[in-house]
Amino acid sequence: MWKKKQQLPFKSTDSLIGHGGTLEGKVHCDTNLRIEGSFSGEIECTGTVTVGEHGMVHSSIIAQEIIIAGKVFGNVTVDRRLVMTCTGQLHGSISAGSLSIMEGGVLSGSVDMKEQPAPEKAGGHEKQKDKAGKRSKAQAAREAG
């Protein structure tokens, strides 16, 4: 008579520290994090951390990607890329795979770029080596037989 509702797969939600909000402590999230208010502590995120224009962060940040439009005081480690907008300010050390600072962005600190893996080229040298290796084996078989 009564049908059970099918449960929909769980969808993760982004986290938000809103304008006027203040949070202190350690944040670890598997989703994206947006900070429009004030945060002090540590941030570790497997998604993207966005510091909005009114955001003020006194924290070390570890994330896949970071977008800074507000103010960040602390060391930043980014696996992929760090983007600073024209209103963004970062006072601290950066370790990033890729860095983009728009005109007007402020960076006060040191930068350490991580080496990115070289893209594989189609028809590269490895294929030529394999073909050469096959020819020499075929030639050796003809000579032996």
Side-chain angles (χ1 to χ4, degrees):
M1 198 152 90
W2 297 99
K3 291 184 180 180
K4 284 189 176 181
K5 290 184 180 181
Q6 288 183 334
Q7 287 187 347
L8 299 175
F10 176 74
K11 290 186 179 183
S12 60
T13 343
D14 293 345
S15 301
L16 171 68
I17 299 172
H19 182 68
T22 301
L23 186 64
E24 187 175 323
K26 184 174 183 176
V27 173
H28 177 81
C29 59
D30 294 331
T31 60
N32 298 330
L33 173 64
R34 183 172 186 91
I35 302 169
E36 293 290 345
S38 179
F39 178 81
S40 296
E42 296 177 28
I43 298 172
E44 190 173 331
C45 183
T46 58
T48 300
V49 174
T50 303
V51 179
E53 286 187 22
H54 300 288
M56 175 82 68
V57 175
H58 293 269
S59 171
S60 61
I61 303 174
I62 299 172
Q64 290 294 312
E65 292 187 355
I66 299 176
I67 301 169
I68 299 174
K71 296 180 182 178
V72 175
F73 299 90
N75 299 331
V76 171
T77 303
V78 187
D79 289 337
R80 293 187 193 137
R81 67 182 175 140
L82 170 71
V83 176
M84 289 182 56
T85 67
C86 59
T87 58
Q89 294 183 23
L90 175 61
H91 303 275
S93 299
I94 298 172
S95 176
S98 172
L99 175 63
S100 175
I101 303 174
M102 295 180 189
E103 186 175 346
V106 175
L107 171 61
S108 175
S110 63
V111 177
D112 178 36
M113 299 297 291
K114 297 178 185 176
E115 187 174 328
Q116 296 294 315
E120 293 183 26
K121 296 180 182 178
H125 295 289
E126 290 181 315
K127 286 190 176 183
Q128 292 174 354
K129 287 180 185 176
D130 289 343
K131 287 180 183 177
K134 287 179 184 176
R135 281 189 212 131
S136 63
K137 289 178 185 178
Q139 287 174 352
R142 279 188 229 141
E143 291 173 5

